[in-house]
Amino acid sequence: MEERSPKEAALAALRTWRDFTNDRDPLVTAAARAGASQAEIIEASGLAKGTVRTILNSPPEDTNVTTTTTDPLAGHHHSHLVRVDREGSYRKFVFRPFTGEEPEPESGDNIYAVHRTTLGPELAQELTDEYREAHRKWQIARFKTALRPLAKEATPLWNAYVTAKAAMEETFAAFDTTPDNRWKSQTLKLSRAHDAAWEAAVNWDNHAERMAALADEHLAGVCVTSALIQEAAAEAGVDSTNWVIEYSAEVYRSSSMAGVHDGVRRLIDRHKKELKAGGMLRTD
């Protein structure tokens, strides 16, 4: 894929601000810093001229790292670093938001070796920690951008699974009140409900595997949990509270019990076993 210029990347990120409304002002400011004109910003964002002008004329908030002539790491910081909060030996690196469109930051693995002699081991380690955190935040931002369209596509698939599974269970429960002369008809309904629930469960698991694969691809070395996937979905305006997603696509590939379809299979097996025991299905 052709590499974008910083201005092109900033304008591309700005076009997404409606999915992350809290990022609107930082993305407008970032586009201006990258060399975009007000006209280009207005076209990319769809904002009114007065709104763009107000954002660009507002005092910057946490947009540049606070450094002084006494900062021993001046000139070495990552460009997104705003400040370093210190409490005793604890350091918290504060960065302006990443979009994932920026060039990949140094992971930090080589920084210590490069700067140990010139900066000393303590400062070299601090710079290493800063770049590792910058790289982690960039990875997460890139992952969230990649996940956004899949998260939006996921809602109808999850709803279809939940609906089909509930319909299957309701159809089976209806046997308790079905007259003997209606068992054949009810059994046919259940068979169709089984097929629909199985198809919906497989469709969901296939999509969930794609989302887990994005985590595998973009979040190498990051502690990945389902909560992070849910956070990314929530920022895209999608409620993923009850979604079932394995932490890695490899889980889907290596285990027949991964995802939700195995639970549906076991329910279908139980239904058939009970119907056979009640004489409503053949046992051969």
Side-chain angles (χ1 to χ4, degrees):
M1 183 173 62
E2 186 178 350
E3 186 175 353
R4 295 173 173 175
S5 70
K7 186 178 84 169
E8 290 170 335
L11 288 171
L14 178 58
R15 294 185 183 98
T16 71
W17 75 264
R18 286 182 176 81
D19 296 308
F20 299 94
T21 53
N22 290 337
D23 285 352
R24 185 195 71 177
D25 293 7
L27 289 172
V28 168
T29 304
R33 281 204 201 94
S37 66
Q38 285 196 29
E40 289 172 318
I41 291 172
I42 291 167
E43 180 182 3
S45 65
L47 295 170
K49 181 187 297 185
T51 302
V52 171
R53 186 180 296 114
T54 298
I55 294 171
L56 295 179
N57 291 337
S58 298
E61 180 180 349
D62 282 356
T63 55
N64 293 298
V65 62
T66 303
T67 59
T68 68
T69 55
T70 61
D71 178 7
L73 293 177
H76 295 290
H77 293 295
H78 187 274
S79 59
H80 274 51
L81 184 71
V82 173
R83 66 178 186 275
V84 182
D85 293 337
R86 303 176 189 273
E87 185 174 341
S89 60
Y90 173 76
R91 296 189 299 264
K92 178 182 178 183
F93 300 99
V94 180
F95 298 90
R96 59 186 172 89
F98 284 90
T99 67
E101 295 280 356
E102 304 88 352
E104 181 174 0
E106 289 282 345
S107 66
D109 295 339
N110 298 321
I111 289 177
Y112 184 85
V114 170
H115 294 285
R116 182 181 184 279
T117 302
T118 55
L119 296 176
E122 185 175 339
L123 288 174
Q125 185 59 58
E126 179 173 335
L127 194 62
T128 296
D129 293 343
E130 174 189 323
Y131 273 81
R132 281 178 177 160
E133 181 63 8
H135 189 265
R136 188 185 73 86
K137 289 185 177 296
W138 175 83
Q139 284 180 287
I140 292 173
R142 185 179 61 153
F143 164 69
K144 288 180 177 180
T145 298
L147 183 73
R148 193 180 308 154
L150 289 185
K152 292 179 177 179
E153 293 170 8
T155 297
L157 293 171
W158 177 257
N159 290 343
Y161 157 69
V162 171
T163 300
K165 181 171 178 283
M168 175 184 72
E169 294 181 289
E170 289 171 6
T171 304
F172 177 73
F175 274 100
D176 290 341
T177 56
T178 298
D180 292 352
N181 64 350
R182 300 290 298 171
W183 280 357
K184 185 175 181 180
S185 175
Q186 189 65 19
T187 301
L188 181 59
K189 288 181 182 179
L190 181 62
S191 177
R192 291 169 176 166
H194 282 168
D195 290 344
W198 175 256
E199 181 180 3
V202 170
N203 287 342
W204 168 256
D205 282 341
N206 287 340
H207 195 76
E209 181 180 347
R210 291 173 65 197
M211 290 190 281
L214 281 182
D216 294 342
E217 177 185 356
H218 293 297
L219 298 174
V222 176
C223 183
V224 182
T225 65
S226 59
L228 182 56
I229 294 178
Q230 288 183 343
E231 177 185 318
E235 290 180 6
V238 176
D239 180 9
S240 60
T241 306
N242 297 314
W243 289 1
V244 176
I245 305 175
E246 304 292 351
Y247 68 89
S248 169
E250 184 59 32
V251 177
Y252 289 97
R253 299 168 189 146
S254 62
S255 174
S256 61
M257 295 185 292
V260 299
H261 71 274
D262 181 62
V264 170
R265 178 189 59 76
R266 285 186 277 108
L267 274 175
I268 292 173
D269 288 346
R270 180 172 66 80
H271 290 172
K272 290 180 177 180
K273 181 179 179 181
E274 293 187 23
L275 290 176
K276 286 177 182 179
M280 287 176 273
L281 284 181
R282 294 175 57 180
T283 58
D284 57 354

